[in-house]
């Protein structure tokens, strides 16, 4: 109902590992009041709302909001080539960037390559040889206290870049660096202490358990938590309209069908191998199985450019490129964080943005990405 007060108190409390009684003690109200607020049957006073936000380490507007329909505007659609006309949105809305230019709203559709940014990354320092090959001396280009507010995440999901930009917008001073790496490589980087967190989407072929078995095996018993980012649809990306009629992995072995594959260690490749094994299709029967590209975007580009007929990626990437999509499974995408890093202020600030409605709305707007449980701690692995 429009205008109803909504809240995310329960999710924020779970993220910090607090019981209702503990949160009540911190905010000076009863446990019953916390339960009623979380259930939406009681609206807190301004003072209680402020105390709740302080206790949960976020802003009042991140915890409470009025469930109202956002306004609509009329915007002028921008095309790169003045002679072209952007296709009108179909049943699925088109993500776009908006700006006020010369007193009017203009919309830049986020389709294909324009949905992703390739930019020169600003440097934080200039390095020269140090005391050993693995120890460099670096002259800083920024203040150490500002650089210390950096969180480094390894992962292959394009959604990580979107989250990073949204988090930096909501938390001025927070810096998020993303290192592109497949799920297995990301876990190796986390084990080395090279990153704060690793993004993973891996399913154990024997048990069907997601992500935790790989974290246990590859992290050598390091204590970690798995924070849920979303559930995304993985499947076969195909040409618009699916002209070859690809309905599943068995069709990849048909004559005249060629794929592009991901590198070993990638969750997409593991999915393809598992599906082919279940279908009794040997990898050698699939043309292009040994042709590897390093990321989800490269898979989509190969299909969009006609260099391949299919490849494994996600529904959100397929939608961004206007490609067809044949779903194979829904899988949880988790952020694996070493427990010792959870006390670092920059890490706390970044994880705290998962309770932010605007951040969650940006992730949900991608399509094929379920944010119902975003921000929950789904597993804690002891050393």
């Amino acid at each position: 109902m429009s205008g109803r007060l909504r809240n995310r108190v329960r999710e924020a409390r779970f993220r910090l590992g607090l019981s209702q009684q503990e949160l009540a003690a911190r905010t000076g109200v009863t446990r019953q009041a916390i339960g009623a607020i979380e259930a939406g049957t009681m609206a807190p006073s301004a003072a209680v709302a402020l105390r709740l936000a302080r206790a949960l380490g976020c802003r009042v507007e991140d915890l409470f909001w009025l469930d109202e329909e956002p306004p609509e505007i009329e915007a002028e659609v921008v095309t790169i080539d003045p002679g072209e006309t952007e296709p009108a949105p179909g049943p699925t809305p088109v993500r776009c960037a908006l700006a006020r230019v010369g007193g009017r709203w203009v919309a830049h559709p986020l389709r294909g390559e324009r949905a992703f940014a390739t930019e020169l990354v600003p440097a934080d320092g200039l390095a020269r040889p140090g005391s050993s090959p693995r120890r460099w001396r670096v002259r800083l280009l920024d203040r150490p206290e500002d650089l210390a507010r950096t969180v480094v995440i390894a992962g292959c999901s394009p959604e990580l870049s979107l989250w990073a930009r949204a988090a930096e917008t909501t938390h001025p001073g927070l810096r998020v660096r993303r290192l592109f790496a497949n799920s297995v490589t990301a876990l190796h980087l986390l084990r080395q202490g090279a990153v704060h967190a690793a993004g993973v989407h891996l399913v154990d072929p024997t048990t069907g358990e997601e992500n935790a078995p790989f974290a246990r095996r590859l992290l050598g018993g390091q204590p970690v938590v798995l924070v849920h980012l979303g559930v995304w649809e993985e499947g076969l990306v195909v040409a618009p309209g699916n002209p070859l009629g690809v309905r599943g992995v068995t069709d990849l072995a048909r004559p005249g069908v060629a794929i592009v594959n991901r590198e070993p260690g990638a969750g997409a490749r593991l999915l393809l191998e598992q599906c082919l094994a279940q279908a009794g299709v040997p990898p050698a029967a699939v043309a292009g199985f040994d042709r590897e590209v390093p990321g989800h975007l490269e898979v989509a580009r190969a299909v969009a450019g006609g260099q391949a007929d299919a490849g494994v990626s996600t529904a959100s990437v397929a939608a961004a490129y206007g490609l067809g999509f044949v779903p194979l499974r829904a899988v949880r995408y988790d952020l694996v964080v070493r427990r010792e890093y959870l006390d670092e202020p920059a890490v706390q600030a970044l994880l705290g943005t998962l309770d932010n409605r605007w951040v969650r709305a940006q992730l949900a707007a991608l399509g094929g990405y379920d944010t119902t449980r975003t921000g929950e701690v789904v597993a804690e692995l002891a050393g």
Side-chain angles (χ1 to χ4, degrees):
M1 181 184 298
S2 178
R4 180 179 176 183
L5 183 66
R6 302 283 187 176
N7 76 82
R8 203 174 300 284
V9 175
R10 178 182 284 112
E11 291 91 330
R13 176 172 61 80
F14 282 173
R15 178 173 53 81
L16 295 178
L18 297 175
S19 67
Q20 287 186 339
Q21 186 61 54
E22 289 170 329
L23 181 57
R26 292 188 182 190
T27 53
V29 299
T30 65
R31 183 193 62 76
Q32 290 77 10
I34 295 296
I37 291 171
E38 291 183 348
T41 58
M42 172 182 169
S45 66
V48 171
L50 286 168
R51 291 201 296 270
L52 281 168
R54 182 171 58 193
L56 294 170
C58 58
R59 300 177 301 175
V60 171
E61 54 265 39
D62 294 335
L63 289 178
F64 301 96
W65 68 94
L66 288 175
D67 190 10
E68 298 175 319
E69 285 294 322
E72 289 193 355
I73 61 168
E74 190 85 359
E76 182 178 331
V77 181
V78 175
T79 57
I80 299 299
D81 185 343
E84 292 182 353
T85 301
E86 274 287 337
T92 302
V94 175
R95 296 172 62 245
C96 60
L98 292 169
R100 290 279 289 180
V101 180
R104 75 194 198 285
W105 286 104
V106 297
H108 296 261
L110 298 175
R111 283 172 162 150
E113 294 296 311
R114 283 184 283 166
F116 307 93
T118 302
E119 302 168 342
L120 192 63
V121 178
D124 296 327
L126 300 173
R128 57 188 179 88
S131 58
S132 73
R134 295 185 62 85
R135 299 287 296 177
W136 292 357
R137 293 188 59 81
V138 181
R139 180 166 62 85
L140 300 184
L141 300 178
D142 205 344
R143 298 187 305 170
E145 56 268 34
D146 293 334
L147 298 178
R149 298 201 65 194
T150 302
V151 181
V152 185
I153 303 174
C156 66
S157 168
E159 286 83 354
L160 290 177
S161 296
L162 179 65
W163 177 34
R165 184 169 183 180
E168 290 172 341
T169 299
T170 58
H171 255 287
L174 177 66
R175 293 154 36 96
V176 185
R177 295 289 196 202
R178 176 198 167 200
L179 294 182
F180 182 85
N182 64 48
S183 296
V184 171
T185 301
L187 288 172
H188 283 305
L189 289 168
L190 183 63
R191 178 172 181 168
Q192 296 168 26
V195 298
H196 292 93
V200 295
H201 58 112
L202 298 166
V203 178
D204 186 279
T206 303
T207 65
E209 187 179 1
E210 297 172 274
N211 299 324
F214 297 87
R216 291 190 192 98
R217 184 168 68 249
L218 298 177
L219 293 178
Q222 293 177 352
V224 297
V225 297
L226 275 65
V227 180
H228 181 65
L229 290 188
V231 175
W232 65 7
E233 288 185 278
E234 292 182 314
L236 298 173
V237 174
V238 297
N242 196 2
L244 297 181
V246 174
R247 302 302 176 194
V249 296
T250 55
D251 292 327
L252 302 181
R254 288 178 3 212
V257 177
I259 73 164
V260 63
N261 204 355
R262 288 291 306 282
E263 75 283 7
R269 185 187 181 103
L270 181 61
L271 169 60
L272 179 59
E273 292 173 345
Q274 291 171 354
C275 290
L276 289 174
Q278 291 169 1
V281 178
V286 179
F289 184 87
D290 293 329
R291 181 187 170 197
E292 300 171 3
V293 294
H296 290 283
L297 303 189
E298 287 77 7
V299 170
R301 288 168 185 157
V303 175
Q307 289 84 41
D309 300 307
V312 176
S313 188
T314 68
S316 58
V317 170
Y321 278 87
L323 298 171
F325 184 73
V326 180
L328 294 177
R329 74 176 178 193
V331 65
R332 209 175 66 219
Y333 194 92
D334 293 333
L335 198 69
V336 185
V337 188
R338 284 170 60 166
R339 192 174 298 163
E340 63 191 279
Y341 299 156
L342 291 176
D343 293 330
E344 296 188 14
V347 174
Q348 290 181 351
L350 176 62
L351 294 179
T353 65
L354 292 175
D355 287 331
N356 184 281
R357 286 196 307 125
W358 183 76
V359 172
R360 294 166 68 105
Q362 289 296 318
L363 292 172
L366 293 169
Y369 200 77
D370 183 357
T371 60
T372 304
R373 299 178 61 195
T374 294
E376 289 186 21
V377 175
V378 293
E380 297 188 34
L381 307 182

